[in-house]
Amino acid sequence: MAGQQAQRSIHVGGEWLDAVSGATREILDPADAKPFAVVAEGDERDADAAVAAARRAFDEGTWARTPVAERAALLRRVADLLVRDREALGRLESRDAGKTLEEGRVDIDCVADAFRYFADLVVGEGGGRVVDAGSEDIHSVVVHEPVGVCALITPWNYPLLQASWKIAPALAAGNTFVVKPSEITPLTTVALVELLVEAGLPDGVANIVTGPGHSVGARLAGHPDVDLVSFTGGLVSGTKVAQAAAVGVKKVALELGGKNPNVVFADACATEEGFDTAVDQALNAAFIHSGQVCSAGARLIIEESVRERFVAELARRASRIRLGRGTEEGVECGPLVSEQQREKTEAYVASALAEGAVLRTGGRRPEPTAGRPATGYFYEPTVLDRCHREMRVVREEVFGPVLTVETFRTEDEAVALANDTEYGLAGAVWTADAGRARRVAGRLRHGTVWINDFHPYLPQAEWGGFGKSGVGRELGPSGLAEYRETKHVYQNLAPKPVRWFGG
């Protein structure tokens, strides 16, 4: 972007700075691959400076000792500012990540909800859990304290939402932090830090370093002055983060994606209304944000007796999804976030076809139009029928608009297929039989299970997965607990000699 001034996107100790190296990065609009912003490109030196600022703010500052009511009030001010700037932030999120404008607006609403939820949660807590020691002379209480300096590493698909799921509880608990957004989509996270400053957060509590994972992210994960690392992203990168953090025996929270089953029983389709709803929700499960969702229902597991009718209608509707620039009216699905992501998606589809999958719709780049430039990273919503567990596209996370179809005949077979994955983030079951719904939900080894629905989440309910989907939880009371240490304080009100040793 010739001539454009780089945004000072590194915030350390209360100051907006350029990168130490002076390096910058162009941020591309995935709808046309043209740069529309320039940010600072930090490295290990910027990460070190940010951690030092966060360390000073925690050890010498006031935030960890600020009364809970004051911390909660700041979080609520941030929520109000998010509502104030909803349209601008939603549009920025849409352009940065390629999602539709309506999706961007909904994301901002969810971010505000997260800040309000954690504000309410900490205010509603008591002063610790009293433990009965069996004597009136002993006062024993278990309390929770902030863990310290937190390194928060966030992904490119939901930049602001994923940042809020970490930042809100970290602040509510009294921590300081350094956040590293994805180098592909950093803009709304920078904007959020600006709002934290506007809301009155003390200097050094919130720090941000924009830059690549191999330098900034790696340094944060292994930094000796970081007490906790929270990472959301891919399995390979998450494994490296865990290895780096293990050297310092840091607290670690990892959300590493999923390969999520959407199980549809024939009885869910017994009526026209039920059939229409199940097909509609299967589309939503797979193709929201072009499938670039960690909980995407990318595996349709459908009872064999209704497979042909269901898949035919699913493919018909998928072929009619309106692709285009996310900020334009009427667009239902935007581009993929990068050329790399599109090429990865194409490779998975090619491997599936080579392994015997049947292409029902999609599987190619769409024809360019005025609202869908040839330079944009668009890919048609794709339905692959006749898939099986041995296919890479069924086993591995594509993170693109690709839906695979598998079939079953019995309830046991459906559960076995749904659980036949190294991941375990989310899944759904569709049935008109209440007993079956409860049985199957109870047997699914996934952190979130929807019954006759897909995708909704609640800030008061924990989010996270089994298996290689990660460790720890975000949201809910457990999401706050991740950012705390537990301490037992035992007070003897009437001390006297023990006389264990005769002296």
Side-chain angles (χ1 to χ4, degrees):
M1 200 172 212
Q4 175 158 330
Q5 180 71 32
Q7 179 179 357
R8 285 192 163 184
S9 55
I10 295 174
H11 188 72
V12 174
E15 293 186 73
W16 289 102
L17 304 169
D18 296 322
V20 172
S21 68
T24 61
R25 173 186 288 266
E26 291 182 331
I27 304 303
L28 305 182
D29 185 334
D32 57 17
K34 294 181 180 178
F36 72 101
V38 181
V39 298
E41 179 87 320
D43 60 23
E44 293 88 347
R45 291 167 293 178
D46 302 283
D48 285 345
V51 171
R55 184 82 264 164
R56 285 193 301 273
F58 184 79
D59 294 341
E60 304 168 17
T62 61
W63 183 248
R65 296 182 297 279
T66 297
V68 167
E70 293 183 26
R71 294 205 299 264
L74 185 137
L75 294 184
R76 293 192 183 103
R77 287 197 297 275
V78 173
D80 291 342
L81 293 172
L82 286 161
V83 172
R84 182 197 69 186
D85 295 347
R86 178 179 187 259
E87 188 64 23
L89 289 171
R91 186 169 292 276
L92 185 60
E93 193 79 331
S94 171
R95 194 170 186 195
D96 202 7
K99 61 184 66 180
T100 66
L101 181 55
E102 187 54 35
E103 287 179 85
R105 291 170 178 146
V106 170
D107 283 359
I108 306 310
D109 294 339
C110 293
V111 172
D113 288 345
F115 273 88
R116 291 197 178 99
Y117 167 71
F118 284 109
D120 293 343
L121 183 62
V122 292
V123 166
E125 292 180 324
R129 175 169 57 89
V130 175
V131 179
D132 185 358
S135 170
E136 293 183 354
D137 292 334
I138 301 299
H139 180 260
S140 181
V141 61
V142 174
V143 297
H144 302 289
E145 297 182 354
V147 68
V149 175
C150 304
L152 312 177
I153 304 172
T154 59
W156 49 257
N157 60 330
Y158 283 86
L160 193 58
L161 186 66
Q162 292 293 329
S164 75
W165 286 11
K166 302 177 190 302
I167 290 173
L171 291 178
N175 298 285
T176 63
F177 69 83
V178 181
V179 60
K180 193 212 85 68
S182 166
E183 59 268 33
I184 303 173
T185 57
L187 300 179
T188 50
T189 308
V190 174
L192 177 58
V193 173
E194 291 173 342
L195 294 186
L196 293 172
V197 173
E198 183 179 349
L201 194 66
D203 291 349
V205 175
N207 306 272
I208 181 171
V209 179
T210 49
H214 67 80
S215 58
V216 178
R219 179 57 178 157
L220 291 176
H223 201 292
D225 285 336
V226 166
D227 301 298
L228 172 148
V229 183
S230 179
F231 171 87
T232 299
L235 176 59
V236 173
S237 297
T239 301
K240 293 178 181 177
V241 167
Q243 291 170 340
V247 175
V249 198
K250 306 179 192 305
K251 290 190 72 173
V252 178
L254 304 172
E255 204 267 77
L256 305 179
K259 194 65 183 178
N260 312 289
N262 185 23
V263 180
V264 180
F265 285 88
D267 62 8
C269 305
T271 67
E272 286 303 311
E273 181 180 4
F275 177 82
D276 175 68
T277 299
V279 171
D280 175 77
Q281 289 275 13
L283 290 168
N284 291 342
F287 299 130
I288 288 290
H289 193 19
S290 294
Q292 299 170 119
V293 185
C294 58
S295 57
R299 293 178 66 202
L300 174 63
I301 301 174
I302 186 159
E303 193 164 350
E304 189 172 285
S305 62
V306 294
R307 183 197 64 80
E308 182 52 43
R309 182 187 178 213
F310 195 99
V311 175
E313 179 61 13
L314 182 71
R316 186 189 71 83
R317 296 190 195 184
S319 69
R320 296 164 63 90
I321 291 174
R322 293 189 293 276
L323 298 178
R325 188 184 295 274
T327 52
E328 291 189 359
E329 194 70 30
V331 167
E332 296 172 322
C333 205
L336 295 177
V337 76
S338 66
E339 180 60 26
Q340 179 185 19
Q341 197 62 27
R342 182 168 62 175
E343 289 177 351
K344 175 185 172 185
T345 301
E346 290 174 325
Y348 272 111
V349 172
S351 73
L353 297 177
E355 292 172 324
V358 176
L359 180 66
R360 298 296 293 260
T361 190
R364 65 187 182 94
R365 302 181 183 193
E367 293 297 322
T369 65
R372 197 169 59 221
T375 52
Y377 308 131
F378 295 96
Y379 194 77
E380 290 184 351
T382 299
V383 177
L384 296 170
D385 199 3
R386 305 292 182 182
C387 294
H388 54 79
R389 182 69 183 95
E390 286 70 35
M391 293 177 174
R392 284 184 60 230
V393 75
V394 174
R395 297 194 313 270
E396 300 175 12
E397 190 174 34
V398 177
F399 237 60
V402 177
L403 176 65
T404 61
V405 181
E406 302 163 81
T407 58
F408 66 91
R409 293 182 180 180
T410 68
E411 183 177 310
D412 285 345
E413 186 181 1
V415 171
L417 283 171
N419 285 337
D420 189 9
T421 172
E422 63 184 0
Y423 295 103
L425 184 60
V429 53
W430 289 82
T431 178
D433 184 329
R436 171 183 282 160
R438 288 192 294 272
R439 285 194 307 272
V440 173
R443 295 173 67 188
L444 291 182
R445 297 283 296 168
H446 300 273
T448 293
V449 176
W450 295 288
I451 297 174
N452 297 335
D453 211 329
F454 210 102
H455 274 321
Y457 77 92
L458 303 171
Q460 60 268 37
E462 279 77 358
W463 179 267
F466 296 8
K468 291 185 178 179
S469 282
V471 294
R473 290 296 183 266
E474 296 190 294
L475 303 179
S478 299
L480 180 63
E482 295 286 350
Y483 293 90
R484 286 173 158 173
E485 294 283 13
T486 300
K487 177 185 287 185
H488 177 205
V489 180
Y490 180 105
Q491 182 179 9
N492 190 336
L493 302 175
K496 56 183 178 292
V498 177
R499 302 302 185 195
W500 186 275
F501 302 102

